[in-house]
Amino acid sequence: MNNSVSNTLRLLGAGLRALLVLTLVTGVIYPLVVTGVAQALFNNKANGSEVKADGKVVGSSLIGQPYNLPLKKGQQTPDPDLKWFQGRPANGLGANSINTQYKLILSGATNLSADNKDLIQQVKDAKAAVIKDNSVPGHTVKASEVPADAVTSSGSGLDPNISSDYAEIQVHRVAAKNGLSAARVERLVKDHTQGRTLGFMGEPRVNVLELNIALKGLVAKTS
C-alpha cells in the first residue's frame, strides 16, 4: 500500500472519530445536560409554563385562549361566553390553509396601519361590544372607561394577559352572570393582578386563564 493511500485512510479514520465524538458530545451529552438542568431548575418553564386545574393541564400561562359559546347553526364567529372574563381580541390570527388535518393556532398581527378603515371599524365595533356586554342593571360602562387592550389585538394575537383596567370593567358582568357579589369578584381580580416587572417595567396585568380558574373555584364554593 503506497503512502498516499495510507495517509488517506488515516485521515478518513481521524475524520470518522471526530464525527463520532462531536455527535456524542453535541448530539447526546449536551442536550441531556441542558434538558436535565432545565428540568431541575426551571421545571415549569421548561415544560411550557403549564397551568393546571383539577389535576389536569388546562393551558399555558404564556398563551391566551378564547372563552366562547359553541357555534350556532349558520354562525361564522362564536359569541363570547359572558360568565367568564374575556381576553384581548385576536384579529391578527390567520387561517390554517396548508395542513387542514389539524386545527392549528396561528400567531400574527394584522399589519394594518392606524388609519386603515378596516382596523378603525374593528376597533369601533369592539368598543361598542365591550360597552354592551359589560353594562348590566345598576352599572353602565362608559366609553371613556374602555382601555386599548379591550379593543385591539396584541402583536402575536396570543396575549394571555389583560390590563387591570380591562379586568375591572368586566367585574359587574361576571358577578351578575355567576350570581356573585361585585365586591367578591373585584377582590378576585385584585388578588390576581401582577404588578410591573421589577417595579418599573410594563403595566399591571391579569392572566385571564388563571383568573378564570379562580373564578370557577369561587363559583363552586358558593353554589
Side-chain angles (χ1 to χ4, degrees):
M1 184 182 295
N2 58 42
N3 289 335
S4 62
V5 174
S6 178
N7 289 335
T8 300
L9 290 176
R10 281 199 299 271
L11 289 174
L12 287 173
L16 181 59
R17 288 193 295 273
L19 175 62
L20 292 175
V21 170
L22 288 173
T23 299
L24 179 64
V25 172
T26 63
V28 179
I29 297 176
Y30 177 74
L32 288 176
V33 170
V34 171
T35 301
V37 171
Q39 290 293 331
L41 301 180
F42 313 101
N43 181 266
N44 183 51
K45 292 181 179 180
N47 290 310
S49 300
E50 296 173 340
V51 176
K52 295 182 178 180
D54 300 323
K56 299 178 181 178
V57 176
V58 295
S60 168
S61 63
L62 302 176
I63 301 176
Q65 56 183 269
Y67 293 88
N68 296 327
L69 295 169
L71 272 173
K72 298 177 182 177
K73 187 176 181 179
Q75 268 189 328
Q76 296 295 323
T77 304
D79 295 323
D81 190 344
L82 297 179
K83 71 180 181 181
W84 302 109
F85 284 92
Q86 297 293 313
R88 295 185 67 170
N91 297 329
L93 295 183
N96 170 38
S97 59
I98 299 175
N99 187 350
T100 56
Q101 183 179 358
Y102 302 101
K103 186 176 181 181
L104 302 178
I105 298 176
L106 303 183
S107 172
T110 63
N111 288 329
L112 298 177
S113 63
D115 60 352
N116 181 275
K117 292 181 180 180
D118 292 337
L119 179 60
I120 292 172
Q121 190 59 51
Q122 287 177 10
V123 170
K124 287 182 177 179
D125 292 343
K127 190 171 187 176
V130 168
I131 294 171
K132 177 178 177 294
D133 290 343
N134 293 287
S135 294
V136 297
H139 178 80
T140 301
V141 174
K142 301 176 183 178
S144 59
E145 295 176 322
V146 179
D149 65 306
V151 297
T152 57
S153 174
S154 65
S156 68
L158 303 175
D159 194 341
N161 303 317
I162 56 175
S163 65
S164 55
D165 290 338
Y166 187 24
E168 287 171 5
I169 67 171
Q170 300 185 60
V171 163
H172 287 83
R173 182 255 297 162
V174 169
K177 293 289 183 181
N178 290 283
L180 301 169
S181 69
R184 295 192 73 175
V185 179
E186 186 171 12
R187 181 72 260 169
L188 203 66
V189 170
K190 290 187 182 300
D191 288 343
H192 286 80
T193 298
Q194 304 172 51
R196 292 178 172 87
T197 303
L198 299 179
F200 67 94
M201 291 191 295
E203 295 294 332
R205 60 200 181 277
V206 182
N207 186 283
V208 180
L209 174 58
E210 294 174 356
L211 178 60
N212 278 332
I213 291 173
L215 172 63
K216 182 181 179 181
L218 179 59
V219 171
K221 287 180 181 179
T222 57
S223 61

